[in-house]
Amino acid sequence: MRWFLVAAVLTLLTSSQGILTTLSQSNGKYQYDYATVPFLAEVFKLLISSFLLWKEFKVSSPPRMTTEWKSVWSFPIPSIIYLVHNNIQFATLTYVDPSTYQIMGNLKIVTTGLLFRFFLKRRLTTLQWLAIILLAIGTTTSQVKGCGEASCDSLFSAPVQGYMLALLSAWLSALAGVYTEYLMKKNNDSLYWQNVQLFGSIFNMARLLLDDVRVGFENGPWWRRLLSGYTITTWLVVLNLGSSGLLVSWLMKYADNIVKVYSTSMAMLLTMVLSVFLFSFKPTIQLFLGIIICMISLHMYFAPAHMLVGTLAAAAGGVTSPAANTSKEIAVDGKEEP
Amino acid sequence: MRWFLVAAVLTLLTSSQGILTTLSQSNGKYQYDYATVPFLAEVFKLLISSFLLWKEFKVSSPPRMTTEWKSVWSFPIPSIIYLVHNNIQFATLTYVDPSTYQIMGNLKIVTTGLLFRFFLKRRLTTLQWLAIILLAIGTTTSQVKGCGEASCDSLFSAPVQGYMLALLSAWLSALAGVYTEYLMKKNNDSLYWQNVQLFGSIFNMARLLLDDVRVGFENGPWWRRLLSGYTITTWLVVLNLGSSGLLVSWLMKYADNIVKVYSTSMAMLLTMVLSVFLFSFKPTIQLFLGIIICMISLHMYFAPAHMLVGTLAAAAGGVTSPAANTSKEIAVDGKEEP
């Protein structure tokens, strides 16, 4: 059950990420360039992973490392997908409003399930499929705008390209996740060596550069903006993001994408609950309903089957199926005085 | 699967009940006393049941009928409970608004499950419990007010007595249903004889009289108002209510309360969908989400266990449990090239 512990910690980190990011703003806006945060987080991951890899060399048996190019070149692929994804996201938000984008983002849960099945060839029971759909429904329910809130009938009013792009980005982020899992599991290489090969920092640099090009360097080159306006909180955001990244790759190697999806969904709900207390965010009944739905989904997915459906005898016989009730057994059953 | 067919027909009748009732109004209000409808429906049920009972006598073997008082006197109990329930409901609505009452009405699904288990001593699997909770969540989700709709933050703002009474009426209507099932199944008497003994019409008379007393006979005695302002549609409402009543008692004898609860919940959703087309009722995303949740719940409750969790081998081993992934098997699993 080590994976469960790691997933729980990831949930806490991810939800505190949301809180910290909000706290890192001063009077509602960022005093620093947020795009620099993922870059520094990647640098942090690189440093930690290299250090741990170096330590692995100190111990008796050297770590397993596959170094031929054929293997190495495949590691940047997830980062490339993410880079494309981020630009798609950018384009999507020119068509649909953020809340609609957030709602549609829950499709990622289902697309991850589909790629998990058909790309990684991992089998899921019908119940687990139902659980995955339910998780997506639950997170969506929690995000449904309450009454009185602004821009709520905008949900179905965006141009169709908007929905197409949102759907595409759901597929892309699922693909990036599933491909990472494939890379982490394709051999028994050291996790740290695999992390180093992901080259996250390089791709984040590329992203920063792209942002600069997009606005024609009007804010100067990114390395000038780096660290400007950083506070302790900003550094906490960086460390938090970096550590959750390390936990994610651990989960990708020793657990799987579905565990990660549950962990991040629960984090989203936890963040909403915490926001009620920290930022006097108004709790809605749909948040309450969403939490229960996701809890049920979690139980459906991970609880051992015999716990859910009782003994096989019961399972096969269908103890409580009313079809069985048309017999004498009813009269007997019914005779039990209350 | 005869019970399934009956449940399906009941669903259609129940949802058309909602539609017909709305159609029976002229410019938004009733031209007739709605309280007379259940009374006539009960009279209809009495006539049909007596006729079918009489026909059973014509055939070779006479129908099974238990006639000692000890048995007969227990049949009016559900009607008495309903009579109390109706008055509780009346009191509740002086504290909470109708939409809150409707939302809280979904608790009836859970209370029915609890009484089904502890009063009728019927076992349910964990999965079936989750399904029942999910059904209540699903119907509630579909009823959550969309943005811009009036009186939406009123949900948690009613005095506590209101919620207590709403809770009590959830327990009472569950008890009435479960007690009816107990009566219908406690012996193999003819269904029609059991229907006759329910004395529904008498209790509806009592209710009409109570209403008259409550308003000090200002509208004259109920029998004067009977049939006044009735149209063809009103008669359809009566026939529809009567026939669904007959189907319900059939389900109580040959299926059970849970089947009935599913049938009426699905009917509620169907009515909302039909209202979108018939009364240009604005569809909300929460209606869409609610429908999917209830469909999943339906599948979880009634699908045979082996269909949901696959072979017992799979069930026991937990094929996709990430806990199993920390072994070599992953490397193998992962090696499959995409």
Side-chain angles (χ1 to χ4, degrees):
Chain A
M1 294 297 278
R2 239 160 91 237
W3 65 269
F4 180 80
L5 216 84
V6 175
V9 176
L10 177 61
T11 305
L12 294 177
L13 287 183
T14 313
S15 77
S16 44
Q17 184 67 17
I19 307 292
L20 284 170
T21 310
T22 315
L23 291 172
S24 75
Q25 301 175 329
S26 48
N27 45 55
K29 55 185 172 356
Y30 296 110
Q31 302 303 315
Y32 59 94
D33 178 359
Y34 187 79
T36 59
V37 168
F39 168 68
L40 290 175
E42 284 298 334
V43 173
F44 171 79
K45 279 166 64 180
L46 186 62
L47 294 175
I48 298 289
S49 302
S50 324
F51 171 73
L52 293 169
L53 187 60
W54 171 74
K55 271 193 65 188
E56 278 189 330
F57 273 106
K58 310 296 267 344
V59 300
S60 53
S61 64
R64 280 201 48 174
M65 291 170 55
T66 315
T67 50
E68 67 263 11
W69 279 107
K70 183 195 169 306
S71 163
V72 174
W73 75 259
S74 61
F75 273 80
I77 291 175
S79 310
I80 296 169
I81 298 170
Y82 275 125
L83 200 61
V84 176
H85 171 265
N86 292 332
N87 290 283
I88 298 281
Q89 180 173 26
F90 191 88
T92 313
L93 286 167
T94 61
Y95 292 106
V96 304
D97 60 295
S99 65
T100 307
Y101 186 79
Q102 185 194 30
I103 292 270
M104 288 200 72
N106 298 308
L107 284 171
K108 168 169 93 274
I109 296 170
V110 179
T111 51
T112 302
L114 290 168
L115 290 179
F116 184 74
R117 173 68 188 86
F118 298 108
F119 180 98
L120 294 181
K121 311 260 172 26
R122 306 280 293 277
R123 315 196 112 281
L124 293 169
T125 64
T126 310
L127 193 60
Q128 286 173 314
W129 278 116
L130 292 178
I132 288 171
I133 297 167
L134 214 48
L135 182 66
I137 297 284
T139 50
T140 309
T141 303
S142 71
Q143 294 165 350
V144 168
K145 282 259 188 293
C147 341
E149 287 184 65
S151 76
C152 33
D153 46 11
S154 67
L155 193 57
F156 301 110
S157 58
V160 69
Q161 307 90 300
Y163 299 110
M164 289 299 125
L165 285 169
L167 194 60
L168 179 60
S169 68
W171 278 106
L172 284 174
S173 62
L175 183 62
V178 165
Y179 199 85
T180 309
E181 181 175 344
Y182 163 73
L183 290 171
M184 291 299 189
K185 288 177 178 167
K186 82 181 185 356
N187 57 35
N188 291 326
D189 275 15
S190 152
L191 172 61
Y192 310 121
W193 168 235
Q194 291 175 316
N195 280 346
V196 170
Q197 291 176 91
L198 287 170
F199 300 111
S201 37
I202 294 170
F203 283 92
N204 277 277
M205 264 190 241
R207 196 210 163 161
L208 285 163
L209 209 56
L210 254 163
D211 293 350
D212 285 350
V213 172
R214 192 179 280 123
V215 298
F217 289 90
E218 67 184 14
N219 317 324
W222 62 269
W223 54 87
R224 289 277 182 71
R225 297 196 304 281
L226 198 60
L227 309 192
S228 76
Y230 267 48
T231 62
I232 314 280
T233 330
T234 321
W235 280 110
L236 286 176
V237 174
V238 170
L239 293 184
N240 193 316
L241 190 59
S243 346
S244 19
L246 291 170
L247 291 185
V248 167
S249 46
W250 189 95
L251 281 178
M252 289 302 169
K253 194 175 180 67
Y254 302 113
D256 59 41
N257 265 280
I258 307 296
V259 174
K260 186 216 162 199
V261 160
Y262 269 97
S263 167
T264 47
S265 304
M266 292 303 163
M268 189 272 288
L269 295 173
L270 183 57
T271 311
M272 288 174 93
V273 173
L274 291 173
S275 313
V276 171
F277 301 104
L278 293 173
F279 311 118
S280 58
F281 168 97
K282 186 165 157 291
T284 62
I285 182 169
Q286 43 272 49
L287 171 58
F288 171 75
L289 294 170
I291 290 170
I292 301 175
I293 296 168
C294 292
M295 289 301 171
I296 292 178
S297 160
L298 187 73
H299 197 72
M300 282 165 66
Y301 189 91
F302 293 104
H306 59 84
M307 259 182 59
L308 289 172
V309 294
T311 69
L312 186 64
V319 236
T320 53
S321 146
N325 292 357
T326 38
S327 69
K328 284 276 169 296
E329 133 194 358
I330 266 5
V332 184
D333 204 357
K335 270 215 181 59
E336 293 171 332
E337 286 291 336
Chain B
M1 294 298 278
R2 237 161 92 237
W3 65 269
F4 180 80
L5 216 85
V6 175
V9 176
L10 177 60
T11 305
L12 293 178
L13 286 183
T14 314
S15 78
S16 44
Q17 185 68 15
I19 307 292
L20 283 170
T21 310
T22 315
L23 290 173
S24 75
Q25 302 174 326
S26 48
N27 45 55
K29 54 184 175 351
Y30 297 110
Q31 300 305 314
Y32 59 94
D33 177 0
Y34 187 78
T36 59
V37 168
F39 168 68
L40 291 175
E42 284 298 336
V43 172
F44 171 78
K45 279 166 65 181
L46 186 61
L47 294 176
I48 298 289
S49 302
S50 325
F51 170 72
L52 292 169
L53 187 60
W54 170 74
K55 271 192 66 189
E56 278 189 328
F57 274 108
K58 311 295 262 357
V59 300
S60 53
S61 64
R64 280 201 48 173
M65 292 170 56
T66 316
T67 48
E68 67 263 11
W69 278 106
K70 183 195 169 307
S71 162
V72 175
W73 76 260
S74 62
F75 273 83
I77 291 175
S79 311
I80 296 169
I81 298 170
Y82 275 124
L83 200 61
V84 176
H85 172 265
N86 293 331
N87 291 282
I88 298 281
Q89 179 172 26
F90 190 88
T92 313
L93 287 167
T94 61
Y95 292 106
V96 305
D97 59 295
S99 65
T100 307
Y101 185 80
Q102 184 194 30
I103 292 272
M104 289 199 70
N106 298 308
L107 284 171
K108 168 168 96 270
I109 295 170
V110 179
T111 51
T112 302
L114 290 168
L115 290 179
F116 184 74
R117 172 67 188 87
F118 298 108
F119 180 100
L120 293 182
K121 312 256 171 26
R122 306 280 293 277
R123 313 197 115 282
L124 292 170
T125 64
T126 310
L127 193 60
Q128 286 174 315
W129 277 116
L130 292 178
I132 289 172
I133 297 167
L134 214 49
L135 182 66
I137 297 286
T139 49
T140 309
T141 303
S142 71
Q143 294 165 350
V144 168
K145 281 260 189 294
C147 341
E149 286 184 66
S151 75
C152 33
D153 45 11
S154 65
L155 194 57
F156 302 111
S157 56
V160 69
Q161 307 91 301
Y163 300 111
M164 289 299 126
L165 285 169
L167 194 59
L168 179 59
S169 68
W171 279 106
L172 284 174
S173 63
L175 183 62
V178 165
Y179 200 85
T180 310
E181 181 175 344
Y182 163 73
L183 290 171
M184 292 300 191
K185 287 177 177 167
K186 79 179 184 357
N187 58 35
N188 290 328
D189 275 16
S190 151
L191 172 62
Y192 311 121
W193 168 234
Q194 291 175 315
N195 280 345
V196 169
Q197 292 176 91
L198 287 171
F199 301 111
S201 38
I202 293 170
F203 283 91
N204 276 277
M205 265 191 240
R207 196 211 162 159
L208 285 164
L209 209 55
L210 255 163
D211 294 349
D212 284 351
V213 173
R214 193 178 280 121
V215 299
F217 290 90
E218 66 184 14
N219 318 323
W222 62 270
W223 55 86
R224 289 278 180 70
R225 298 194 304 280
L226 198 60
L227 309 193
S228 76
Y230 267 49
T231 62
I232 314 279
T233 330
T234 320
W235 279 111
L236 287 176
V237 174
V238 170
L239 294 185
N240 193 315
L241 189 60
S243 347
S244 20
L246 291 170
L247 292 184
V248 167
S249 47
W250 188 95
L251 281 179
M252 289 301 168
K253 194 176 180 69
Y254 301 114
D256 58 41
N257 265 281
I258 308 296
V259 173
K260 187 215 162 201
V261 161
Y262 270 97
S263 165
T264 46
S265 304
M266 292 304 164
M268 190 274 288
L269 294 173
L270 183 57
T271 312
M272 288 174 92
V273 172
L274 290 174
S275 314
V276 171
F277 301 104
L278 293 173
F279 311 119
S280 58
F281 167 98
K282 184 164 158 294
T284 61
I285 182 169
Q286 42 271 51
L287 171 58
F288 171 75
L289 294 169
I291 290 170
I292 300 176
I293 297 169
C294 292
M295 289 301 171
I296 292 178
S297 160
L298 187 72
H299 197 71
M300 283 165 66
Y301 190 92
F302 293 104
H306 60 84
M307 258 182 60
L308 290 172
V309 294
T311 68
L312 185 63
V319 237
T320 53
S321 148
N325 292 357
T326 38
S327 69
K328 285 274 169 296
E329 133 193 358
I330 267 3
V332 183
D333 204 357
K335 271 217 180 54
E336 293 171 332
E337 286 291 337

